[in-house]
Amino acid sequence: MTQSSAITKKSIRVRRIRFSYPIGSLRQHYVDGDLIMSHVISYLSSTFPEGESSFVRSVQRFSDQVTDPELLSRIRGFVGQEVTHGREHQVLNERLQQMGYPTRLGNWTTRRNFELDELLLSPLTCLATTAALEHFTAVFAETLLSDERAQDLLGHSEVRSLLLWHAFEESEHRSVAFDVYRAVGGTERRRIAVMLLVMLTLGGGIITHTAVSLALDSAARPRALVRSLAALRHSPFLARPALDRLRAYLRPGFHPDDVDNTALLERWSVELFGEQGRLVDHLR
């Protein structure tokens, strides 16, 4: 029995949750005062509403071909969680736009990119793209949940709470799109080729949009940029363990559950939603 097949799939819970960002509650550079990371996180947040909608569409196109009741249940949980993620990030994005971050531009660009993908690519390739992007989000999510240095970067704002919740749920449903892709006959060759393309385009998009966002920030002076770039070199999100996990997707026979996250999910389920959980008061 392989490690991935030995891991018991758990049901995916859809949580009714709300976050709020009153005016004045966020520092301008809210990621621990870091210039570049604040712009990177803002750009990534701007992609989530349209990105999550695209992920849902790509999975639902194939749901009628799935016969496994357990996978069908996980698909429903995946859809519910992704819809909630998009809604909550849209609220944050509007607040960030008011603060000067061009999140509406990021949202528009993301929508156009996914519309173009769905027009030009086959549904199965779009599903492979979803599985690849879900791997990216899961790796960065589990880096955040497992590395205190990553958590410290987020300070103690409501954005930290949002990202911890989002990371936890991304870890919960990390293998759903992948399993649907396999269930409907997706090949290893297509899966790996799509990931190589995603690696190129995602990195380029982050760099380009972050540069545009920084150009609009009066605080982005040379000294501040150099200091922020130096800190970025030591980011846990760019450390070798995270990059190795990203590259593992290119290995034939890879499965997201090759790395067991059961203990991590159990820990954060208690920390976020246990009796004294830090997000219990956010649940509706």
Side-chain angles (χ1 to χ4, degrees):
M1 179 180 290
T2 64
Q3 184 180 8
S4 60
S5 62
I7 297 172
T8 302
K9 307 281 189 181
K10 294 186 177 180
S11 61
I12 298 171
R13 178 181 173 186
V14 180
R15 300 170 180 87
R16 298 179 62 195
I17 194 166
R18 293 281 184 179
F19 298 87
S20 62
Y21 314 91
I23 293 176
S25 63
L26 293 179
R27 299 167 59 191
Q28 182 62 31
H29 300 118
Y30 56 92
V31 183
D32 197 35
D34 188 278
L35 180 65
I36 292 177
M37 281 302 295
S38 296
H39 284 271
V40 169
I41 296 299
S42 296
Y43 167 64
L44 292 175
S45 181
S46 78
T47 70
F48 285 129
E50 293 295 335
E52 308 287 38
S53 293
S54 176
F55 296 170
V56 166
R57 290 193 300 272
S58 71
V59 168
Q60 287 185 321
R61 283 192 191 99
F62 291 93
S63 60
D64 61 348
Q65 298 181 35
V66 174
T67 57
D68 177 16
E70 179 190 57
L71 182 53
L72 285 170
S73 174
R74 292 168 58 224
I75 288 171
R76 289 191 291 271
F78 167 85
V79 170
Q81 286 189 344
E82 294 292 58
V83 168
T84 307
H85 295 172
R87 182 196 70 209
E88 290 306 308
H89 274 277
Q90 186 59 47
V91 174
L92 172 60
N93 293 343
E94 285 304 309
R95 185 73 195 91
L96 293 174
Q97 180 73 36
Q98 295 169 6
M99 293 166 61
Y101 293 95
T103 52
R104 290 177 190 162
L105 174 63
N107 183 77
W108 178 84
T109 303
T110 303
R111 181 176 68 250
R112 293 300 300 271
N113 287 342
F114 280 114
E115 287 175 347
L116 192 60
D117 284 351
E118 292 174 24
L119 179 66
L120 299 177
L121 303 177
S122 71
L124 190 57
T125 298
C126 289
L127 180 59
T129 301
T130 294
L133 288 168
E134 282 287 292
H135 179 63
F136 266 94
T137 55
V139 169
F140 290 132
E142 290 177 10
T143 299
L144 173 60
L145 296 176
S146 59
D147 193 318
E148 289 187 6
R149 295 174 303 157
Q151 296 159 32
D152 289 343
L153 286 175
L154 301 181
H156 300 282
S157 70
E158 186 82 333
V159 176
R160 174 193 174 102
S161 297
L162 170 78
L163 293 178
L164 287 173
W165 157 74
H166 191 165
F168 174 69
E169 293 198 342
E170 287 295 332
S171 297
E172 282 189 312
H173 70 234
R174 67 181 184 179
S175 60
V176 173
F178 190 101
D179 286 343
V180 173
Y181 176 79
R182 274 195 174 176
V184 299
T187 64
E188 289 288 88
R189 181 177 180 180
R190 186 194 302 255
R191 176 182 70 79
I192 292 170
V194 167
M195 174 53 103
L196 287 170
L197 183 60
V198 166
M199 285 179 169
L200 290 173
T201 56
L202 182 62
I206 292 172
I207 292 170
T208 300
H209 279 270
T210 300
V212 170
S213 188
L214 283 165
L216 300 173
D217 190 337
S218 62
R221 300 184 182 91
R223 182 176 295 181
L225 285 169
V226 169
R227 185 167 55 248
S228 188
L229 280 170
L232 189 63
R233 291 176 53 207
H234 303 289
S235 169
F237 298 106
L238 299 178
R240 183 168 181 173
L243 298 180
D244 284 346
R245 279 196 64 188
L246 287 176
R247 287 191 289 263
Y249 194 94
L250 302 175
R251 185 183 69 245
F254 166 85
H255 191 278
D257 293 336
D258 289 341
V259 175
D260 188 354
N261 66 354
T262 304
L264 191 67
L265 289 177
E266 289 175 350
R267 170 195 163 191
W268 282 97
S269 178
V270 173
E271 290 204 24
L272 297 179
F273 302 111
E275 204 168 300
Q276 303 297 323
R278 65 183 73 181
L279 296 185
V280 170
D281 62 342
H282 288 60
L283 294 171
R284 301 296 177 95

